[in-house]
């Protein structure tokens, strides 16, 4: 890595939409400060150790004429190996204890409660007090503390939106809580942070922070049952959905489809991406996904439907993209 590469990493990656070094909330800012303090401390220790190595190398030909009462080497061991770590780690411990409360969940329920359930490999999102269920997209109102309750339907996952708050584990049979309170509208990328199988790296999501009015309109729409198919193609697509097997795994509220293995598709057409941010939500990529999901996201639970006639697959796409 050249110096130019290092500068590029520091200026681009540190400002990416998934970097703890690009905080957008108060808890994330505290974590950022802690991170830089740890980084600086680690660099100092690294510098001292490299300095000692260089010193040892430079003096390697000196004969050992130290007398028995020369305590220099012992002082290096006791000072550098014992006293300094105790002091540094105690300071770091105090710093962490100071930062932790800022990243904790609110003591009681807040105005809005959201439930996020981890699946291999997507995120199910439910809004308390409404029938709205979505996937891989968490919409929240700006400048509003949101109580996020996380758990999992299968293995351990970890919920992490680096620009908004710390990571929190999603554990079977247990509900963990974290607060999201973003002051500014925007899209913040999140990522599963606990290895959970082959699809782990492709288990991402977006937190979409909206002005409160826009958020309420969005939630009203998501809570409503699915739109009726409009046009012959979409109607044919709906019939295919209910007969070729899609409805066994996916729910579309307002229709007989009520599977819970895969994402709820009631308003899938309104989402920005598919397959947990793996591909954009366009008719072309949805068609490819239905045809061969394993090529796009190896390990995905979804079987391919390449054996369906292409016209059926196009009809499915027309129906699903119409569910806005
Ligand atoms: Cu879910 Cu890693």
């Amino acid at each position: 890595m050249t110096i130019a590469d290092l500068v590029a990493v520091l200026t681009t990656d540190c400002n990416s939409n998934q970097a703890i070094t690009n905080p957008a909330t108060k808890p994330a800012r505290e974590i950022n400060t802690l991170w830089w303090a740890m980084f600086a401390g680690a660099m100092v220790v690294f510098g001292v150790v490299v300095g000692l190595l260089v010193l040892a190398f430079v003096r390697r030909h000196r004969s050992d004429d130290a007398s028995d009462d020369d305590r220099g080497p012992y002082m290096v061991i006791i000072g550098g190996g014992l006293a300094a770590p105790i002091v540094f780690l105690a300071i770091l411990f105090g710093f962490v204890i100071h930062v932790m409360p800022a990243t904790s969940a609110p003591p009681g329920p807040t105005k809005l409660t959201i439930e996020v359930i981890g699946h291999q490999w997507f995120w199910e999102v439910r809004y308390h007090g409404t029938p709205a269920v979505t996937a891989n997209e968490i919409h929240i109102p700006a400048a509003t503390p949101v109580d996020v309750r996380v758990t999992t339907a299968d293995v351990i996952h970890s919920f992490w939106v680096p620009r908004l708050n710390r990571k929190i584990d999603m554990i079977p049979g247990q509900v963990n809580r974290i607060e999201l309170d973003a002051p500014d509208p925007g899209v913040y990328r999140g990522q599963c942070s606990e290895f959970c199988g082959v699809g782990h790296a492709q288990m991402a999501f977006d937190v979409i922070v909206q002005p409160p009015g826009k958020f309420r309109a969005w939630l009203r729409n998501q809570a409503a049952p699915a739109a009726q198919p409009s046009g012959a193609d979409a109607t044919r697509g709906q019939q295919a959905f209910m007969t070729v097997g899609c409805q066994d795994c996916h729910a579309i509220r307002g229709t007989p489809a009520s599977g819970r293995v895969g994402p709820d598709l009631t308003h899938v057409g309104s989402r920005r991406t598919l397959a947990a941010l793996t591909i954009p939500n366009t008719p072309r990529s949805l068609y490819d996904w239905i045809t061969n999901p394993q090529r796009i996201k190896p390990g995905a639970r979804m079987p391919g439907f390449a054996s369906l006639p292409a016209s059926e697959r196009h009809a499915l796409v027309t129906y699903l993209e119409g569910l806005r």
Side-chain angles (χ1 to χ4, degrees), residues 10 22 138 143 169 200 226 263 266 268 280 305 320:
L10 287 174
N22 186 15
I138 302 176
D169 276 353
H200 163 69
T266 308
V268 65
F305 286 85
L320 291 170

Side-chain angles (χ1 to χ4, degrees), residues 12-78:
T12 322
D13 293 9
C14 287
N15 290 322
S16 87
N17 199 19
Q18 197 185 290
I20 56 166
T21 43
N22 186 15
T25 64
K26 188 171 173 293
R29 272 194 295 278
E30 299 247 353
I31 293 168
N32 180 41
T33 309
L34 176 64
W35 189 87
W36 281 109
M38 285 175 70
F39 181 66
M43 284 300 104
V44 169
V45 172
F46 180 70
V48 168
V49 170
V50 169
L52 288 173
L53 272 174
V54 170
L55 192 66
F57 182 77
V58 167
R59 298 175 62 171
R60 69 192 182 284
H61 292 310
R62 278 204 186 180
S63 62
D64 185 6
D65 54 359
S67 56
D68 281 348
D69 58 15
D70 185 354
R71 297 208 191 96
Y74 293 104
M75 295 317 287
V76 170
I77 301 293
I78 291 168

Side-chain angles (χ1 to χ4, degrees), residues 118-123 154-158 170 191-197 199-201 203:
H119 292 261
Q120 286 175 313
W121 289 273
F122 73 95
W123 312 80
D154 39 54
V155 300
I156 298 177
H157 303 270
S158 182
M170 309 172 101
Q191 167 69 40
C192 181
S193 180
E194 176 87 39
F195 181 72
C196 53
H200 163 69
M203 185 171 170

Side-chain angles (χ1 to χ4, degrees), residues 89-267:
L89 292 178
I91 292 171
L92 186 60
F93 180 67
F95 202 169
V96 171
I97 292 292
H98 169 79
V99 170
M100 269 168 69
T103 66
S104 294
T110 57
K111 242 170 95 179
L112 179 64
T113 302
I114 296 177
E115 196 181 341
V116 182
I117 303 154
H119 292 261
Q120 286 175 313
W121 289 273
F122 73 95
W123 312 80
E124 175 184 347
V125 187
R126 294 174 169 267
Y127 288 79
H128 278 204
T130 85
V133 185
T134 181
N136 307 323
E137 247 182 39
I138 302 176
H139 289 239
I140 58 172
T144 310
V146 180
D147 184 16
V148 181
R149 299 171 177 225
V150 308
T151 188
T152 169
D154 39 54
V155 300
I156 298 177
H157 303 270
S158 182
F159 179 92
W160 191 32
V161 196
R163 297 191 63 202
L164 301 184
N165 209 333
R166 66 181 161 108
K167 53 180 80 167
I168 190 162
D169 276 353
M170 309 172 101
I171 297 167
Q174 181 175 328
V175 175
N176 284 337
R177 295 168 58 228
I178 193 162
E179 184 181 73
L180 294 184
D181 186 356
D184 304 313
V187 179
Y188 304 87
R189 196 174 194 277
Q191 167 69 40
C192 181
S193 180
E194 176 87 39
F195 181 72
C196 53
V198 283
H200 163 69
Q202 288 172 314
M203 185 171 170
F205 62 102
D206 275 333
V207 173
I208 298 169
V209 181
Q210 297 173 298
K214 267 199 167 152
F215 167 76
R216 279 193 296 274
W218 175 85
L219 188 57
R220 254 198 313 279
N221 182 55
Q222 297 289 318
Q228 286 304 312
S230 65
D233 217 24
T235 307
R236 212 153 55 83
Q238 191 190 39
Q239 278 160 5
F241 192 92
M242 302 302 163
T243 50
V244 302
C246 312
Q247 89 293 354
D248 291 335
C249 293
H250 294 283
I252 296 182
R253 281 171 283 125
T255 77
S258 58
R260 278 202 64 188
V261 178
D264 182 298
L265 301 179
T266 308
H267 296 284

